[in-house]
Amino acid sequence: MVPDSNSSVVPQADHLTVFFASQTGNAESISRSIHEQAQERGFKSGHYVLNDHAKVDWEKEECLVFVVSTTGDGDPPDNSTKFWRHLRKLKGTGLTKAKYAILGLGDTNYDNFCQTAKRLDTKLQELGASPFYPRGLADDATGLEETVDPWIKNIWPALAHQVVSTPTIHDLPKPHLTVEETKIVKEIIEHESQTTAPSSTPKTAATSAIVIGSYDNHPVAPPVESLSRRMDVLSVSSPTARIEPAAGNTIRIDFSSMANHSNLTALPRVPNANLIITQHETAPPAGSNPCNVPSFIQAPTPLFSAKINSVQCLTPDDALKRTLSIEFGFDDDVEYAPGDSFGIWAPNDESLVRGVLSTLGVKDEDLNKPVKLEGEGIPSHLQPIQSASLLDIFRYAVDLTTSTKKANIRLFADHATDLAEKQKLMFMSSKQGADLFNELRAQGPTLLDILHTFPSVKIPVARVIEALPPLQPRYYSITSSPMAKNGHHRWSCAFNVVQYELPVGVKRRGVCTPWLDDLSGNVSFGKPVSAGLSSIRVPMFIKPNETKFNLPVDTTKPVIMIGPGTGVAPFMGFLEHRAEQRRIKKRLVNIGSGSRQHLDDLFGEMWLFFGCRHRDRDWLFRQQMEEYRSDGVLTQLHVAVSREEDVPNSAKYVQDLIRKESKKVWDLLHRKSALIYVCGDAKGMAKSVHDELLALLIEHGGYEKMAAIMELNKWAQEKRYLRDLWA
């Protein structure tokens, strides 16, 4: 029960504390905005990542605000795992003094939408805390701003009833523009009325209909000056020959609808400028790992260097997607289990990095000079950067390709010196320009594309670095077993190379998969290639497995694996592992070649539901699958083919195959307590498979629908129903 914010409550708390748990940087950015706005409104506020929970005396906290995201299939972000372990240890009602508000960020493409926020809400109430403001759940599938902006706007009256504040000018109503923006608008209007000479930019109906604040005279920071830097400490991404800066693509948007609006509302707040770039007296240290990546990179587990043993292109040229299988090798033993994932810390595309820095006005001679990032309240991923070049910062620290936020569009507007461009940017960041903002996001522009399309944006490098989200590692499932030959010194993965073309003819690339493809020589379809790869080193780390997406310890348990496309990757590791287990067991118990039934009795059944478009183009690992089936490792192999007609014993999608085999699947689940593993697309496949499992429980198990839902949830909690999904 959330109390009425209009009730006559006397504030008790003398401060509020804002916590965040963030995987991609969105939750951190939003929480920082709340923290800064609270300070501007006269509230005393603290700001912490949830893993820094020990810095706060929880029993004395009286007002808490949480902004938390959800990753994977309902998992909390990495920077909150320590907090959750701490929370599970707390008993009783030790937080009875605390009032709280929670803003959750999630994606409805996943079934466990905003699971972290919901779990936190439940746990806080179990510990005696109570909400003072309704929980907000923002959906990235439709746009976080739709929920985040009104949630923040309306929290201040509720907060005023909880925390004592010192009145400031920021408490004044702000229906559309801030006081400063209103002043700037007035100055522009006066300037326009006094100007009689023709404008260098022709005024159209669209550009003259709206007048928005300008920072034409905003001082632009000069290019950063600092000391020299040795290039030989850079990672494998460092080019041996000069790479020309990319030019950027023009974003195509029709702004004619601007003429219908003369007033803009719901403009996002521009974040405070906290970051300061200073010269550094010494060259930045070489990476503390063999990869020679910058020392500021902080992975969840230790980074290590991997070489590429071999690479194989699994799909021919006429396949819709280019799929690679790469085997990595290590000098030291690495502990892992089938089903585990690993992260690769790939750099941004080198030509894109240099194009952005060139457009921002950084001179070539300043690219490799060491700088230090300072400032109170700067984003957490920037805080470790004590000595690094701008090249390395833009290579490894910030994301140049992720869809931009409205707040950044507004920030660019503030630094646009051309009035027409300023108006377009302000319009897209407003409520009235939501359709155009979505049109911009649909084109997936890079930072360089935005700067290229709006060339009058003259923004300091520090503002750009602070505004961009952190560059994230890319994760891949392991397709091999540590029990195989040299298993602890190698592992494999399979992935689609992310590269595509927009309807407007602009080509887009992912960050990591094209980089790996280029590093390994862009091999053609066919057999594995190992020549010429021995000198390549890739920075990676093992990802902690929080979901237990691994084979059961009890080898007699049946396993049902569902993974179309590259979703089959972890299951190839399962199958190799089971093949090795069977080989070892056969040797230990001295089972002869004619006694396979005896061997089969020692292991549970393994069923695989795989899906592809065409059998001759993208049936990945076909030879291995058929060998596992003939050897008895794989009990049942069911392949769905979506783009071919009349395929014997097949269906269009994996969920259709489950429907066809539902009675047998139910028998495995009911009589033999089989485990279900699902890997792949969360938006379509995983939901459809989930629905088929519900239908199976209803039809063959006699469950009512609600009971079936509860049973699947129970299986998920018991780790009988495990999913590794991506959007």
Side-chain angles (χ1 to χ4, degrees), residues 560 665-666 668-671 673-676 690 693-694 696-697 701 703 707-723:
I560 300 169
V665 171
W666 166 249
L668 279 177
L669 293 169
H670 179 59
R671 290 198 312 108
S673 300
L675 283 75
I676 309 169
H690 189 82
L693 292 174
L694 287 175
L696 179 151
L697 288 172
Y703 288 81
I709 293 172
M710 292 177 65
E711 185 69 8
L712 276 186
N713 289 339
K714 177 186 173 186
W715 288 356
Q717 292 172 2
E718 294 173 347
K719 305 301 181 184
R720 277 191 63 193
Y721 178 28
L722 295 142
R723 307 196 303 176

Side-chain angles (χ1 to χ4, degrees), residues 72 107-110 140-141 680-684 725-727:
D107 189 329
T108 48
N109 287 320
Y110 294 86
D140 196 36
D681 167 47
K683 186 175 183 180
L725 308 177
W726 57 82

Side-chain angles (χ1 to χ4, degrees), residues 99-289:
K99 307 292 184 183
Y100 69 88
I102 295 177
L103 175 60
L105 312 184
D107 189 329
T108 48
N109 287 320
Y110 294 86
D111 287 337
N112 293 315
F113 173 64
C114 285
Q115 185 67 16
T116 304
K118 295 172 183 177
R119 282 179 58 200
L120 181 59
D121 197 1
T122 300
K123 186 63 178 178
L124 289 174
Q125 293 191 48
E126 289 176 358
L127 294 171
S130 56
F132 71 86
Y133 184 63
R135 184 178 70 192
L137 302 178
D139 183 10
D140 196 36
T142 58
L144 297 175
E145 293 90 352
E146 291 185 9
T147 298
V148 171
D149 291 349
W151 192 89
I152 295 177
K153 177 182 177 182
N154 295 320
I155 196 175
W156 305 116
L159 201 57
H161 290 289
Q162 303 298 324
V163 185
V164 176
S165 66
T166 303
T168 71
I169 190 171
H170 297 282
D171 293 322
L172 298 174
K174 290 180 272 190
H176 304 307
L177 302 179
T178 65
V179 174
E180 180 64 21
E181 290 163 350
T182 304
K183 177 182 177 183
I184 294 170
V185 168
K186 182 178 179 182
E187 291 175 353
I188 290 181
I189 295 173
E190 292 175 350
H191 175 74
E192 289 288 309
S193 65
Q194 296 170 5
T195 303
T196 56
S199 172
S200 60
T201 303
K203 291 171 63 177
T204 64
T207 59
S208 61
I210 307 175
V211 179
I212 302 297
S214 168
Y215 289 159
D216 290 358
N217 297 320
H218 193 289
V220 179
V224 177
E225 295 181 3
S226 42
L227 302 178
S228 61
R229 160 89 196 262
R230 287 170 51 239
M231 285 294 289
D232 60 351
V233 300
L234 296 178
S235 74
V236 291
S237 69
S238 302
T240 55
R242 174 175 170 79
I243 293 181
E244 291 300 319
N249 299 292
T250 301
I251 306 167
R252 303 180 186 280
I253 298 177
D254 181 3
F255 285 94
S256 59
S257 60
M258 284 176 56
N260 302 322
H261 302 279
S262 59
N263 193 26
L264 303 184
T265 60
L267 289 163
R269 174 184 177 275
V270 175
N272 291 349
N274 298 318
L275 179 63
I276 302 170
I277 300 178
T278 60
Q279 299 178 16
H280 202 266
E281 297 304 321
T282 58
S288 58
N289 52 73

Side-chain angles (χ1 to χ4, degrees), residues 504-554:
V504 295
V506 175
K507 294 181 179 180
R508 297 286 185 216
R509 286 164 51 100
V511 173
C512 189
T513 56
W515 179 69
L516 288 172
D517 194 7
D518 292 342
L519 277 181
S520 55
N522 305 111
V523 299
S524 300
F525 172 62
K527 295 181 179 180
V529 175
S530 57
L533 301 176
S534 59
S535 63
I536 297 173
R537 292 293 183 270
V538 178
M540 60 178 58
F541 58 93
I542 188 73
K543 181 184 180 184
N545 192 330
E546 303 289 346
T547 61
K548 306 304 178 186
F549 193 93
N550 303 111
L551 280 172
V553 175
D554 183 355

